[in-house]
Amino acid sequence: MIDFCGIELAHPVVNGSGTFDAIAARRVFGDALLERFPFAAFVSKTVTLEPRQGNPPPRLWELAGGMLNSIGLPNKGLDGYLAEDLPKLAELPVPLIVNVMGSSPEEVGRLVAAFAERDEVAALELNVSCPNVKTGLLMGADPGETAALLDAVRHLTTKPVIVKLTPNCVSPAAVAAAAEDHGADAVSLINTLRGMAMDPRRPARPWLGGVTGGMSGPAVRAVALAQVREVRARVAVPIVGMGGVQSGRHAADLLEAGADVVGVGTESFRDPLAGGRVADELARLSASGRAAPRAGVRHAAHVAQNG
Amino acid sequence: MSAGARPGAPAGRGSAVSDGRTLAPFGRRRAPVTGVERVGAYAVVSVADADGPAPDPGQFYMLAAAERWGGGADERPFLPRAFSVMRGHPGGRLDFLLEDVGPGTARLAELAPGEDVWLLGPLGRGFAAPRDGRRPVLAGGGVGIAPLAAWADAFGAAALVLLGFRDAEHAEGAALIPGARVATDDGSRGHRGLVTELLAAELGGDPRAEVYACGPPPMLEAVRAMCAEHGVPAQLALESGMACGYGACFGCVVPTRTGYVRLCVDGPVLDAAELEAVA
């Protein structure tokens, strides 16, 4: 058991926002999904105030050891999510963390306020880091912008607020410190790295419909480890670490670099059960002494500090 | 099997049904390759999926070689690849049709018995029975003939099957659906020209049909437009690049009249009336 911001997690593995659709998965796999749900908490795909269609295809490009995505945050919008998705996600056997994004602190505030009063929601994650949409990047690339965002929304909810950092900035640690100083309960990283691919069939044309996209998968693991270490050296709040995790060993490395909880994202595309498999492998490594049992220790300390 | 029955409805091996489709076991599974047969320009990869449910015609699977997946051109592939099931046999053998066109299909085409694949599926919504007692007309192009094989089997001799290929080497694939009429771009076999020309002649003779089509986008768009003009209902099996196959990534969308739709969960078979155009 892990205590993450007062939320009880059966194990330290969650999904990266936008890398698993629990509602679609239930249509595909049936109720077997609920019996073997791969994550200790479910993080929803980003919800925005207004519905979004997302980027024109192509939205995917395969790379050596990973991929680019330029999905564009399609979602039903706040009203559609509350009416259609939230009731279904409330049926999952694990806590629900809702990821939200707005183009201004005021917009984010409206989203936070809407979820603050919903008992189905255990925590909120602020997407300030999507590299596919310019507005999101602004708030997460600069400590001052991040501070202003937290100032605008922190008082709107007593639920835990997690800030999802962007790796595409000069100092994720400075942004994390600003988030912590202005009331964030946790930070999560890394999001995807900004990248691009050329269309192999048409000269000088980018492949992705959105032109640039976010890189993920095993090729970013080393970046994730470095940034988790850097952020850990600056903040005391819990860290959700992710980036290219494919195994218990990769998860253990992130925990040893300073994370408290681990996210699995792209690997779920190759194996829908990846989250559960990583959790099982991590448990075996911990039991055999080949992984530092970090999470429990960190949360006890954090809770002691903050009551 | 009569035209009014629901062809492809799951039977036998303990499958469960949700919103009409056969559900997939949760998670990918290893399955042994039992054969790889060359058929002209194509390879038919057969896999033993003894514990899996029988797929509906038009459903697909995500495939990857269990060993040495990656390290090809540009160190790819990384993600699995999506293939419509060509045929599901009693006892669990699944046949997939593929052509070596990239690092993923190159690796799959060189599989041999004794190797395993990772299998996820069956996925997606397959073909639905013809409405109003219409006669089924199946039109396939190139590797797109694959899902039509299982669908043709469901109708027995009652379905007219029209297949188009670019040349004689590819037209050898017609042997996979016995009794099909063939067109080749270069005229090296059958009708010289496009399969859509065969379809136009057929619908012109008797439009009381339901068309089922799978092939390259320009072919599907021609079928869509032709059927719209003739007032003939059609179901199109579309294709898109995919990462996951089960709705997680939102990468496989196509535009429809009501917005982007994920082919993996809401397709790959779509009613032609839902589409403004096939991109």
Side-chain angles (χ1 to χ4, degrees):
Chain A
M1 281 292 164
I2 309 290
D3 180 305
F4 173 66
C5 303
I7 302 165
E8 196 175 75
L9 302 180
H11 59 75
V13 180
V14 301
N15 63 296
S17 171
T19 66
F20 200 92
D21 181 338
I23 295 171
R26 199 155 171 201
R27 290 173 61 198
V28 174
F29 304 117
D31 287 345
L33 172 76
L34 305 181
E35 292 152 25
R36 296 178 72 183
F37 197 73
F39 306 107
F42 179 66
V43 182
S44 72
K45 187 169 176 63
T46 298
V47 182
T48 52
L49 273 182
E50 296 302 319
R52 291 175 62 97
Q53 274 293 306
N55 289 344
R59 292 182 171 182
L60 305 172
W61 181 252
E62 184 183 67
L63 301 166
M67 56 181 285
L68 288 174
N69 85 77
S70 173
I71 308 295
L73 304 177
N75 73 99
K76 299 182 168 97
L78 177 62
D79 291 347
Y81 184 87
L82 289 173
E84 297 173 36
D85 289 3
L86 189 56
K88 293 179 182 162
L89 295 174
E91 294 175 7
L92 296 177
V94 301
L96 174 65
I97 299 173
V98 178
N99 179 298
V100 299
M101 191 195 81
S103 56
S104 66
E106 184 268 342
E107 252 187 44
V108 180
R110 288 171 59 188
L111 287 155
V112 170
F115 288 110
E117 49 192 48
R118 305 303 297 243
D119 291 340
E120 305 96 317
V121 179
L124 289 162
E125 183 178 62
L126 306 185
N127 179 355
V128 300
S129 55
C130 181
N132 297 311
V133 180
K134 286 181 196 154
T135 53
L137 185 58
L138 284 172
M139 282 184 276
D142 177 81
E145 294 276 352
T146 304
L149 171 63
L150 266 299
D151 288 346
V153 310
R154 174 68 272 186
H155 64 281
L156 296 173
T157 183
T158 54
K159 294 185 197 290
V161 173
I162 309 159
V163 174
K164 183 144 185 195
L165 306 172
T166 174
N168 304 308
C169 65
V170 174
S171 177
V175 174
E180 179 181 54
D181 289 346
H182 291 258
D185 298 284
V187 292
S188 49
L189 73 157
I190 57 171
N191 204 326
T192 51
L193 297 165
R194 191 189 300 109
M196 192 176 79
M198 302 306 288
D199 188 328
R201 307 159 310 180
R202 303 191 301 174
R205 304 283 288 273
W207 168 257
L208 295 168
V211 181
T212 57
M215 180 178 169
S216 65
V220 311
R221 241 183 347 253
V223 175
L225 284 168
Q227 295 205 0
V228 163
R229 178 186 166 89
E230 185 189 331
V231 168
R232 171 49 68 219
R234 289 287 298 273
V235 302
V237 291
I239 294 173
V240 183
M242 68 192 86
V245 172
Q246 296 180 289
S247 72
R249 179 71 260 160
H250 304 152
D253 286 351
L254 279 167
L255 296 174
E256 291 172 16
D260 301 274
V261 171
V262 168
V264 171
T266 299
E267 188 65 8
S268 293
F269 298 157
R270 300 187 343 138
D271 171 14
L273 287 170
R277 177 175 57 74
V278 167
D280 290 344
E281 291 173 4
L282 178 62
R284 281 200 291 278
L285 285 173
S286 299
S288 64
R290 285 174 290 157
R294 181 164 199 88
V297 172
R298 169 143 313 277
H299 288 296
H302 178 68
V303 168
Q305 272 176 43
N306 298 305
Chain B
M1 195 235 54
S2 70
R6 182 156 203 271
R13 293 191 289 146
S15 60
V17 179
S18 167
D19 74 21
R21 77 184 70 197
T22 296
L23 300 180
F26 183 31
R28 66 179 185 174
R29 54 196 181 276
R30 278 184 86 120
V33 173
T34 55
V36 178
E37 186 192 342
R38 303 226 75 91
V39 179
Y42 302 107
V44 176
V45 175
S46 297
V47 167
D49 186 29
D51 298 327
D56 306 327
Q59 285 192 301
F60 70 99
Y61 290 73
M62 299 301 286
L63 262 66
E67 314 295 334
R68 291 184 296 113
W69 188 250
D74 293 339
E75 302 304 325
R76 298 160 62 196
F78 170 71
L79 298 163
R81 298 296 190 258
F83 295 95
S84 294
V85 61
M86 184 169 76
R87 284 195 173 88
H89 300 268
R93 182 181 121 205
L94 301 173
D95 295 341
F96 299 98
L97 184 70
L98 56 92
E99 185 175 5
D100 175 353
V101 294
T105 47
R107 176 68 184 102
L108 293 170
E110 62 153 37
L111 284 167
E115 296 192 85
D116 286 348
V117 294
W118 285 116
L119 199 65
L120 180 72
L123 303 168
R125 291 196 315 182
F127 298 115
R131 59 206 88 180
D132 309 323
R134 289 170 173 269
R135 80 182 187 292
V137 175
L138 279 53
V143 75
I145 73 172
L148 302 178
W151 199 222
D153 289 353
F155 291 106
L160 172 67
V161 182
L162 311 170
L163 304 178
F165 303 93
R166 76 186 75 169
D167 56 31
E169 193 196 8
H170 288 81
E172 290 189 42
L176 297 166
I177 308 182
R181 279 189 224 160
V182 175
T184 45
D185 294 359
D186 64 4
S188 53
R189 185 165 152 193
H191 168 76
R192 181 192 185 91
L194 303 174
V195 66
T196 43
E197 293 158 17
L198 297 180
L199 180 62
E202 186 59 34
L203 296 182
D206 181 359
R208 286 169 307 160
E210 178 136 1
V211 173
Y212 298 90
C214 185
M219 177 208 155
L220 290 181
E221 172 54 20
V223 170
R224 186 205 63 75
M226 179 189 311
C227 288
E229 194 188 316
H230 283 84
V232 174
Q235 298 179 34
L236 308 180
L238 276 68
E239 184 183 44
S240 173
M242 292 185 179
C244 70
Y246 64 99
C249 73
F250 285 81
C252 65
V253 298
V254 296
T256 73
R257 295 184 187 279
T258 53
Y260 287 128
V261 149
R262 287 170 289 183
L263 282 185
C264 67
V265 290
D266 295 314
V269 177
L270 295 180
D271 195 303
E274 295 177 42
L275 303 167
E276 280 184 17
V278 178

